Amino acid sequence: MRLVSPLAVAGFGVATGAGLIAYGLVLGASGALWTAAGLGLAGITLFATRAVPEVVAAIAIFLVALGLGTAPRDIIFSGFMSGGFWLIVSGIILGTAITATGLAARISGRLFALAGPSYGRATLVIATTGLLLGILVPSTMPRVIVMVPVAAAFAERLGLDPKGRGGIGLIATAVTATLLPTYTILTANLPTIVQVGAMQQSYGIASTYSEYMIQQWPVNALRFLLIAVLMMRFTTETPVCAGDDEAGAAPHRPEQRRLLIVLGVAILGWMTDFMHGIEPAWIAMAAAAIVIWPRFGMLDGNAMRERIDFSPPIFFAALVTVVAVAREAGLDRVLADAFIARLPLSPAGDLSSVYAVYGFSVIISHLTTAPAAPAVLVPFAASLSEATGLSLKAVSMVQMIGIATPVLAYQAPPLIVAMSISKVPNAVFVRLCVWLALAVSLVGLPLTYLWWQVIGFV
């Protein structure tokens, strides 16, 4: 039985946010922190509860931010200029083409050959595919965009409704497995790349691919195993398909071959970004431009009007606005300073200090979202190292575990995008995030600390 309705939660959050904004306006120029906090609280509450359509909440955020005038327009609309926005736009186009050409059904047929008519094996195959894709593609957004239609087609191959519990379970498995366990791979996620790069730039502390994987693997192995176990038991539905169908055995259609070539070149570009320096978003845009061109036959001329939904990227841009306005007002720094003064830090470098740094990192990552959290956390690494007795690199690794532990789905933009393009209910990702966060906090962190002692890292 639901004790509090999402509408009630949304109403409380919006009312409280409006109160903070009003108080900030009364204070005048010194009230920017309060108006930013009010805008953030109201916006995140609306996004979390989906009390109104996400695009409505997004437009409201833009309007309120413009009306308040607490940040320049280039800050308010910075989301539209970010690579993430265009990566989502391009990804929606590519994902639509993967489904429209029948390529998703073909890939799902290959996966079915491995899993057979078993939901448990299907879950494990999908989770493993998502994890392995993290090795190939150094950006979560493209992986999510590829995996969502593949998982939906896989559900159909098993005779499950993609919008039913069985289909939702496979899609949620694909999304979470290609995001959270891949934090053990240095190149797999933007927050990891930013964190390691910022540590090297600020303190000269570098991490190699293999070194980072060795230090992070215990907690991420736990994440993968828990995702597999939880999602295997997600539904009691029994697959009704017991073999390959004609779609799986049919020859490649020309448009499928063309799309495979485009995706192959794009994946090669994403894999080698360390060589050419081209951002994943621009590679995705080039691929999307080819795919959307009717001349190549992958999508028809009406696709942009009838198939492409632009509400997810607008939603993403609004989330960036909330974070950007908060950072412009200095809210992240004020809150970080307030939190760090109250942390139970011990110079002994023991597990309690690890927990303190981890908890601080989890809180900051939820105030800023995962991609932006390193910009706030890295400047505190030196003071945290001095206060805890942990090395700078150990502090950075603990911070990374905190960043990679979303309690609420909005902290990780790939989960937000997945909810938008897959229509998986918020509650599914929230429950998964909570279970994973509990597992990391109660088991993963002590296990990782013990492993670090074994290898001499702490």
Side-chain angles (χ1 to χ4, degrees):
M1 180 178 179
R2 185 177 288 173
L3 298 178
V4 182
S5 70
L7 189 60
V9 174
F12 177 78
V14 171
T16 305
L20 292 174
I21 291 172
Y23 181 64
L25 293 176
V26 170
L27 293 178
S30 61
L33 285 173
W34 295 101
T35 56
L39 178 66
L41 176 62
I44 289 172
T45 302
L46 288 175
F47 288 151
T49 60
R50 284 188 174 177
V52 298
E54 290 159 345
V55 70
V56 174
I59 292 173
I61 286 173
F62 294 133
L63 289 173
V64 172
L66 287 170
L68 292 174
T70 54
R73 290 190 178 187
D74 60 336
I75 296 295
I76 294 172
F77 293 114
S78 57
F80 292 98
M81 296 180 285
S82 71
F85 176 85
W86 294 105
L87 189 57
I88 296 171
V89 171
S90 304
I92 291 171
I93 294 172
L94 294 174
T96 301
I98 290 171
T99 301
T101 60
L103 184 59
R106 177 169 294 281
I107 295 173
S108 73
R110 303 296 185 189
L111 297 179
F112 180 86
L114 297 173
S118 165
Y119 190 83
R121 288 198 298 272
T123 302
L124 188 58
V125 167
I126 280 287
T128 303
T129 302
L131 179 63
L132 293 177
L133 200 58
I135 300 174
L136 296 176
V137 182
S139 178
T140 312
M141 294 289 195
R143 300 199 303 268
V144 166
I145 288 158
V146 169
M147 288 301 297
V148 166
V150 167
F154 195 7
E156 291 181 345
R157 181 63 59 91
L158 291 170
L160 303 173
D161 181 0
K163 296 182 180 179
R165 191 165 176 83
I168 286 173
L170 287 181
I171 295 170
T173 301
V175 171
T176 51
T178 200
L179 169 64
L180 299 176
T182 59
Y183 272 103
T184 194
I185 303 166
L186 181 59
T187 58
N189 297 290
L190 178 61
T192 304
I193 297 170
V194 174
Q195 174 80 9
V196 171
M199 286 298 297
Q200 184 169 9
Q201 183 179 22
S202 300
Y203 305 108
I205 303 295
S207 293
T208 64
Y209 187 99
S210 58
E211 180 185 36
Y212 179 86
M213 180 174 285
I214 290 170
Q215 291 160 359
Q216 289 283 333
W217 80 264
V219 67
N220 287 291
L222 175 66
R223 286 188 179 115
F224 178 82
L225 291 174
L226 187 58
I227 288 171
V229 170
L230 288 175
M231 301 315 291
M232 281 179 182
R233 300 173 179 272
F234 186 76
T235 182
T236 57
E237 290 184 62
T238 302
V240 298
C241 181
D244 290 329
D245 56 20
E246 294 180 1
H252 283 295
R253 300 204 302 267
E255 59 269 28
Q256 290 181 0
R257 287 196 293 269
R258 287 192 287 268
L259 181 56
L260 274 174
I261 292 171
V262 172
L263 290 175
V265 172
I267 290 174
L268 180 63
W270 290 326
M271 289 174 60
T272 57
D273 67 341
F274 64 94
M275 296 173 59
H276 52 68
I278 302 174
E279 292 185 30
W282 315 144
I283 296 172
M285 284 178 66
I290 296 171
V291 167
I292 202 67
W293 193 352
R295 181 182 181 86
F296 291 104
M298 288 173 274
L299 287 174
D300 58 42
N302 295 322
M304 289 297 288
R305 291 190 296 271
E306 298 175 358
R307 294 174 178 261
I308 308 301
D309 178 12
F310 283 103
S311 56
I314 294 174
F315 167 45
F316 174 83
L319 183 63
V320 172
T321 294
V322 170
V323 174
V325 170
R327 294 187 67 188
E328 178 72 10
L331 181 62
D332 54 348
R333 294 286 178 177
V334 170
L335 292 173
D337 288 334
F339 281 127
I340 200 169
R342 291 167 173 77
L343 290 178
L345 300 175
S346 166
D350 54 16
L351 185 58
S352 65
S353 293
V354 171
Y355 266 108
V357 176
Y358 163 77
F360 175 60
S361 304
V362 170
I363 292 171
I364 293 300
S365 71
H366 282 75
L367 292 173
T368 60
T369 74
V376 180
L377 289 172
V378 168
F380 288 101
S383 57
L384 287 171
S385 175
E386 183 177 351
T388 61
L390 296 169
S391 67
L392 272 170
K393 183 171 282 189
V395 168
S396 178
M397 291 298 102
V398 177
Q399 288 178 335
M400 199 62 249
I401 295 174
I403 293 170
T405 307
V407 180
L408 299 174
Y410 81 86
Q411 185 260 18
L415 294 183
I416 297 171
V417 173
M419 286 187 289
S420 298
I421 66 177
S422 68
K423 308 305 178 186
V424 172
N426 286 13
V428 174
F429 286 118
V430 169
R431 285 197 294 269
L432 263 175
C433 286
V434 170
W435 276 112
L436 288 166
L438 286 173
V440 169
S441 301
L442 298 178
V443 180
L445 209 59
L447 180 65
T448 301
Y449 182 72
L450 178 62
W451 170 247
W452 286 352
Q453 288 182 314
V454 170
I455 64 176
F457 184 58
V458 294

